[in-house]
Short mmCIF file of all heavy atoms in Angstrom, two decimals:
data_model
loop_
_atom_site.label_atom_id
_atom_site.label_comp_id
_atom_site.label_asym_id
_atom_site.label_seq_id
_atom_site.Cartn_x
_atom_site.Cartn_y
_atom_site.Cartn_z
N GLY A 1 -4.34 15.50 6.61
CA GLY A 1 -3.00 14.96 6.80
C GLY A 1 -1.91 15.92 6.35
O GLY A 1 -0.89 16.08 7.02
N LYS A 2 -2.14 16.58 5.22
CA LYS A 2 -1.16 17.56 4.72
C LYS A 2 -1.06 18.74 5.67
O LYS A 2 0.03 19.28 5.90
CB LYS A 2 -1.56 18.02 3.31
CG LYS A 2 -1.34 16.97 2.23
CD LYS A 2 -1.94 17.38 0.90
CE LYS A 2 -1.24 18.58 0.29
NZ LYS A 2 -1.78 18.90 -1.05
N GLU A 3 -2.19 19.16 6.24
CA GLU A 3 -2.20 20.28 7.18
C GLU A 3 -1.30 20.04 8.37
O GLU A 3 -0.62 20.96 8.85
CB GLU A 3 -3.62 20.54 7.69
CG GLU A 3 -4.47 21.41 6.80
CD GLU A 3 -5.78 21.77 7.47
OE1 GLU A 3 -5.76 22.14 8.67
OE2 GLU A 3 -6.83 21.65 6.82
N ILE A 4 -1.27 18.80 8.87
CA ILE A 4 -0.48 18.52 10.07
C ILE A 4 0.94 18.09 9.74
O ILE A 4 1.73 17.79 10.64
CB ILE A 4 -1.17 17.48 10.97
CG1 ILE A 4 -1.25 16.11 10.28
CG2 ILE A 4 -2.53 17.96 11.42
CD1 ILE A 4 -1.74 14.99 11.21
N GLY A 5 1.27 18.04 8.43
CA GLY A 5 2.65 17.78 8.04
C GLY A 5 2.98 16.38 7.59
O GLY A 5 4.15 16.01 7.52
N LEU A 6 1.98 15.58 7.24
CA LEU A 6 2.24 14.23 6.76
C LEU A 6 2.58 14.26 5.26
O LEU A 6 2.04 15.08 4.52
CB LEU A 6 1.03 13.33 6.99
CG LEU A 6 0.70 13.02 8.46
CD1 LEU A 6 -0.60 12.24 8.56
CD2 LEU A 6 1.84 12.25 9.11
N PRO A 7 3.45 13.37 4.81
CA PRO A 7 3.84 13.34 3.39
C PRO A 7 2.65 13.01 2.49
O PRO A 7 1.91 12.05 2.77
CB PRO A 7 4.90 12.23 3.33
CG PRO A 7 5.38 12.07 4.74
CD PRO A 7 4.21 12.38 5.61
N GLU A 8 2.48 13.78 1.42
CA GLU A 8 1.35 13.57 0.52
C GLU A 8 1.37 12.18 -0.10
O GLU A 8 0.32 11.55 -0.29
CB GLU A 8 1.34 14.64 -0.57
CG GLU A 8 0.11 14.57 -1.48
CD GLU A 8 0.03 15.73 -2.44
OE1 GLU A 8 0.96 16.58 -2.44
OE2 GLU A 8 -0.97 15.79 -3.19
N SER A 9 2.57 11.67 -0.42
CA SER A 9 2.67 10.35 -1.04
C SER A 9 2.12 9.27 -0.10
O SER A 9 1.41 8.35 -0.55
CB SER A 9 4.13 10.04 -1.39
OG SER A 9 4.95 10.08 -0.23
N GLU A 10 2.41 9.37 1.19
CA GLU A 10 1.92 8.38 2.14
C GLU A 10 0.42 8.53 2.38
O GLU A 10 -0.29 7.55 2.62
CB GLU A 10 2.68 8.50 3.46
CG GLU A 10 4.15 8.12 3.34
CD GLU A 10 4.87 8.11 4.68
OE1 GLU A 10 4.24 7.72 5.69
OE2 GLU A 10 6.05 8.49 4.72
N LEU A 11 -0.07 9.76 2.29
CA LEU A 11 -1.51 9.99 2.45
C LEU A 11 -2.29 9.39 1.29
O LEU A 11 -3.34 8.78 1.49
CB LEU A 11 -1.78 11.49 2.55
CG LEU A 11 -1.32 12.16 3.85
CD1 LEU A 11 -1.29 13.68 3.70
CD2 LEU A 11 -2.24 11.76 5.01
N LYS A 12 -1.77 9.56 0.09
CA LYS A 12 -2.45 9.00 -1.09
C LYS A 12 -2.43 7.48 -1.04
O LYS A 12 -3.41 6.81 -1.42
CB LYS A 12 -1.81 9.53 -2.36
CG LYS A 12 -2.12 11.00 -2.61
CD LYS A 12 -1.55 11.50 -3.93
CE LYS A 12 -1.96 12.94 -4.21
NZ LYS A 12 -1.39 13.47 -5.48
N GLU A 13 -1.32 6.94 -0.59
CA GLU A 13 -1.25 5.48 -0.43
C GLU A 13 -2.25 5.01 0.60
O GLU A 13 -2.90 3.97 0.44
CB GLU A 13 0.17 5.08 -0.02
CG GLU A 13 0.33 3.58 0.16
CD GLU A 13 1.72 3.19 0.62
OE1 GLU A 13 2.61 4.07 0.67
OE2 GLU A 13 1.92 2.01 0.95
N LEU A 14 -2.40 5.79 1.67
CA LEU A 14 -3.33 5.44 2.75
C LEU A 14 -4.76 5.33 2.23
O LEU A 14 -5.46 4.34 2.49
CB LEU A 14 -3.26 6.48 3.86
CG LEU A 14 -4.21 6.28 5.04
CD1 LEU A 14 -3.63 5.27 6.02
CD2 LEU A 14 -4.49 7.60 5.76
N VAL A 15 -5.22 6.36 1.51
CA VAL A 15 -6.63 6.39 1.10
C VAL A 15 -6.92 5.44 -0.07
O VAL A 15 -8.09 5.16 -0.36
CB VAL A 15 -7.08 7.82 0.73
CG1 VAL A 15 -6.96 8.73 1.94
CG2 VAL A 15 -6.29 8.38 -0.45
N ASN A 16 -5.88 4.95 -0.70
CA ASN A 16 -6.06 4.00 -1.81
C ASN A 16 -5.75 2.57 -1.41
O ASN A 16 -5.55 1.71 -2.27
CB ASN A 16 -5.19 4.42 -3.01
CG ASN A 16 -5.68 5.68 -3.68
OD1 ASN A 16 -6.86 5.78 -4.03
ND2 ASN A 16 -4.82 6.66 -3.86
N SER A 17 -5.71 2.33 -0.12
CA SER A 17 -5.39 0.99 0.38
C SER A 17 -6.05 0.80 1.73
O SER A 17 -6.84 1.63 2.18
CB SER A 17 -3.87 0.83 0.52
OG SER A 17 -3.39 1.62 1.60
N GLN A 18 -5.71 -0.29 2.36
CA GLN A 18 -6.17 -0.56 3.74
C GLN A 18 -4.99 -0.50 4.70
O GLN A 18 -4.98 -1.17 5.75
CB GLN A 18 -6.87 -1.91 3.82
CG GLN A 18 -8.31 -1.88 3.32
CD GLN A 18 -9.17 -0.91 4.12
OE1 GLN A 18 -9.31 -1.05 5.33
NE2 GLN A 18 -9.76 0.06 3.44
N ALA A 19 -4.00 0.35 4.36
CA ALA A 19 -2.83 0.51 5.22
C ALA A 19 -3.25 0.93 6.63
O ALA A 19 -4.17 1.73 6.80
CB ALA A 19 -1.89 1.56 4.63
N PHE A 20 -2.61 0.34 7.61
CA PHE A 20 -2.82 0.62 9.04
C PHE A 20 -4.15 0.09 9.58
O PHE A 20 -4.45 0.31 10.76
CB PHE A 20 -2.69 2.12 9.35
CG PHE A 20 -1.30 2.66 9.10
CD1 PHE A 20 -1.00 3.30 7.91
CD2 PHE A 20 -0.30 2.50 10.04
CE1 PHE A 20 0.27 3.79 7.66
CE2 PHE A 20 0.98 2.99 9.81
CZ PHE A 20 1.27 3.63 8.61
N ALA A 21 -4.91 -0.61 8.74
CA ALA A 21 -6.14 -1.23 9.26
C ALA A 21 -5.84 -2.23 10.37
O ALA A 21 -6.55 -2.25 11.40
CB ALA A 21 -6.91 -1.91 8.12
N PRO A 22 -4.78 -3.06 10.24
CA PRO A 22 -4.47 -3.97 11.35
C PRO A 22 -4.13 -3.25 12.65
O PRO A 22 -4.44 -3.74 13.74
CB PRO A 22 -3.24 -4.75 10.82
CG PRO A 22 -3.34 -4.67 9.34
CD PRO A 22 -3.90 -3.30 9.07
N ASP A 23 -3.52 -2.07 12.55
CA ASP A 23 -3.17 -1.30 13.75
C ASP A 23 -4.43 -0.81 14.46
O ASP A 23 -4.50 -0.82 15.69
CB ASP A 23 -2.30 -0.10 13.36
CG ASP A 23 -1.02 -0.52 12.66
OD1 ASP A 23 -1.07 -0.74 11.44
OD2 ASP A 23 0.01 -0.66 13.34
N VAL A 24 -5.41 -0.35 13.67
CA VAL A 24 -6.68 0.10 14.25
C VAL A 24 -7.38 -1.07 14.95
O VAL A 24 -7.82 -0.95 16.10
CB VAL A 24 -7.60 0.69 13.17
CG1 VAL A 24 -8.95 1.07 13.77
CG2 VAL A 24 -6.95 1.91 12.52
N LYS A 25 -7.43 -2.20 14.26
CA LYS A 25 -8.10 -3.37 14.84
C LYS A 25 -7.38 -3.86 16.09
O LYS A 25 -8.01 -4.28 17.07
CB LYS A 25 -8.16 -4.48 13.79
CG LYS A 25 -9.07 -4.16 12.61
CD LYS A 25 -9.02 -5.25 11.54
CE LYS A 25 -9.90 -4.89 10.36
NZ LYS A 25 -9.82 -5.92 9.28
N ARG A 26 -6.05 -3.77 16.08
CA ARG A 26 -5.27 -4.20 17.24
C ARG A 26 -5.59 -3.33 18.46
O ARG A 26 -5.74 -3.83 19.57
CB ARG A 26 -3.78 -4.14 16.92
CG ARG A 26 -2.87 -4.79 17.98
CD ARG A 26 -1.40 -4.70 17.57
NE ARG A 26 -1.18 -5.27 16.25
CZ ARG A 26 -0.78 -4.58 15.18
NH1 ARG A 26 -0.56 -3.28 15.26
NH2 ARG A 26 -0.60 -5.18 14.02
N ASP A 27 -5.69 -2.02 18.24
CA ASP A 27 -6.04 -1.11 19.33
C ASP A 27 -7.41 -1.44 19.91
O ASP A 27 -7.60 -1.44 21.14
CB ASP A 27 -6.05 0.34 18.83
CG ASP A 27 -4.67 0.98 18.83
OD1 ASP A 27 -3.70 0.32 19.23
OD2 ASP A 27 -4.57 2.15 18.41
N ILE A 28 -8.37 -1.71 19.02
CA ILE A 28 -9.73 -2.02 19.46
C ILE A 28 -9.77 -3.33 20.24
O ILE A 28 -10.45 -3.45 21.28
CB ILE A 28 -10.68 -2.06 18.25
CG1 ILE A 28 -10.79 -0.65 17.64
CG2 ILE A 28 -12.05 -2.58 18.65
CD1 ILE A 28 -11.52 -0.60 16.31
N GLN A 29 -9.02 -4.33 19.76
CA GLN A 29 -8.95 -5.61 20.45
C GLN A 29 -8.28 -5.46 21.82
O GLN A 29 -8.69 -6.07 22.81
CB GLN A 29 -8.20 -6.62 19.59
CG GLN A 29 -8.96 -7.06 18.35
CD GLN A 29 -8.09 -7.81 17.35
OE1 GLN A 29 -6.89 -7.96 17.54
NE2 GLN A 29 -8.71 -8.26 16.27
N GLU A 30 -7.25 -4.62 21.88
CA GLU A 30 -6.56 -4.41 23.14
C GLU A 30 -7.47 -3.72 24.15
O GLU A 30 -7.44 -4.02 25.33
CB GLU A 30 -5.29 -3.59 22.92
CG GLU A 30 -4.38 -3.54 24.14
CD GLU A 30 -3.01 -2.95 23.85
OE1 GLU A 30 -2.85 -2.32 22.78
OE2 GLU A 30 -2.13 -3.13 24.69
N ALA A 31 -8.27 -2.79 23.66
CA ALA A 31 -9.23 -2.12 24.53
C ALA A 31 -10.18 -3.15 25.16
O ALA A 31 -10.46 -3.11 26.36
CB ALA A 31 -10.02 -1.07 23.76
N SER A 32 -10.64 -4.06 24.33
CA SER A 32 -11.54 -5.10 24.83
C SER A 32 -10.85 -5.97 25.87
O SER A 32 -11.43 -6.31 26.91
CB SER A 32 -12.01 -5.96 23.66
OG SER A 32 -12.85 -7.01 24.10
N ALA A 33 -9.58 -6.31 25.62
CA ALA A 33 -8.83 -7.15 26.55
C ALA A 33 -8.62 -6.44 27.89
O ALA A 33 -8.56 -7.09 28.94
CB ALA A 33 -7.48 -7.52 25.94
N LEU A 34 -8.53 -5.11 27.86
CA LEU A 34 -8.33 -4.33 29.08
C LEU A 34 -9.65 -4.02 29.78
O LEU A 34 -9.66 -3.41 30.85
CB LEU A 34 -7.60 -3.02 28.76
CG LEU A 34 -6.13 -3.14 28.36
CD1 LEU A 34 -5.60 -1.81 27.84
CD2 LEU A 34 -5.29 -3.62 29.54
N GLY A 35 -10.76 -4.41 29.16
CA GLY A 35 -12.07 -4.14 29.75
C GLY A 35 -12.60 -2.75 29.48
O GLY A 35 -13.49 -2.27 30.17
N ILE A 36 -12.07 -2.11 28.44
CA ILE A 36 -12.50 -0.75 28.08
C ILE A 36 -13.73 -0.87 27.18
O ILE A 36 -13.67 -1.42 26.09
CB ILE A 36 -11.39 0.01 27.34
CG1 ILE A 36 -10.15 0.16 28.25
CG2 ILE A 36 -11.88 1.38 26.87
CD1 ILE A 36 -8.93 0.69 27.53
N ASN A 37 -14.86 -0.34 27.64
CA ASN A 37 -16.07 -0.40 26.83
C ASN A 37 -16.68 0.97 26.58
O ASN A 37 -17.81 1.09 26.13
CB ASN A 37 -17.12 -1.33 27.49
CG ASN A 37 -17.36 -0.99 28.94
OD1 ASN A 37 -17.20 0.17 29.35
ND2 ASN A 37 -17.73 -1.98 29.72
N GLY A 38 -15.92 2.01 26.89
CA GLY A 38 -16.35 3.38 26.63
C GLY A 38 -15.15 4.30 26.59
O GLY A 38 -14.10 3.98 27.17
N VAL A 39 -15.28 5.40 25.88
CA VAL A 39 -14.17 6.35 25.76
C VAL A 39 -14.66 7.76 26.07
O VAL A 39 -15.85 8.04 25.96
CB VAL A 39 -13.56 6.29 24.33
CG1 VAL A 39 -12.77 5.02 24.15
CG2 VAL A 39 -14.62 6.43 23.23
N PRO A 40 -13.73 8.65 26.49
CA PRO A 40 -12.29 8.42 26.54
C PRO A 40 -11.89 7.53 27.72
O PRO A 40 -12.57 7.49 28.74
CB PRO A 40 -11.72 9.83 26.73
CG PRO A 40 -12.80 10.55 27.50
CD PRO A 40 -14.09 10.02 26.93
N PHE A 41 -10.77 6.85 27.55
CA PHE A 41 -10.23 6.01 28.61
C PHE A 41 -8.72 6.22 28.65
O PHE A 41 -8.04 6.06 27.64
CB PHE A 41 -10.56 4.54 28.39
CG PHE A 41 -10.43 3.71 29.65
CD1 PHE A 41 -11.54 3.42 30.41
CD2 PHE A 41 -9.19 3.24 30.06
CE1 PHE A 41 -11.43 2.67 31.58
CE2 PHE A 41 -9.07 2.49 31.21
CZ PHE A 41 -10.19 2.19 31.99
N PHE A 42 -8.21 6.59 29.82
CA PHE A 42 -6.80 6.92 30.00
C PHE A 42 -6.13 5.84 30.84
O PHE A 42 -6.62 5.49 31.92
CB PHE A 42 -6.65 8.27 30.71
CG PHE A 42 -7.29 9.43 29.99
CD1 PHE A 42 -8.67 9.60 29.97
CD2 PHE A 42 -6.51 10.38 29.33
CE1 PHE A 42 -9.27 10.67 29.32
CE2 PHE A 42 -7.09 11.45 28.67
CZ PHE A 42 -8.47 11.59 28.66
N VAL A 43 -5.01 5.33 30.36
CA VAL A 43 -4.27 4.29 31.09
C VAL A 43 -2.88 4.84 31.42
O VAL A 43 -2.12 5.22 30.53
CB VAL A 43 -4.15 3.00 30.26
CG1 VAL A 43 -3.30 1.97 31.00
CG2 VAL A 43 -5.53 2.42 29.97
N PHE A 44 -2.56 4.86 32.70
CA PHE A 44 -1.30 5.41 33.19
C PHE A 44 -0.35 4.28 33.56
O PHE A 44 -0.58 3.55 34.52
CB PHE A 44 -1.54 6.30 34.42
CG PHE A 44 -2.39 7.51 34.14
CD1 PHE A 44 -3.77 7.40 33.94
CD2 PHE A 44 -1.82 8.78 34.08
CE1 PHE A 44 -4.56 8.51 33.69
CE2 PHE A 44 -2.60 9.90 33.84
CZ PHE A 44 -3.97 9.76 33.63
#
């Protein structure tokens, strides 16, 4: 994260919590709703 320019404070908060877990789950659920069962999958 530091290599690509993310703030160290936010990175430390990330690894010491479950921050953004709902976002990951939302993406996975949306994939299922769209019928995506394999990756990569591109939607235009």
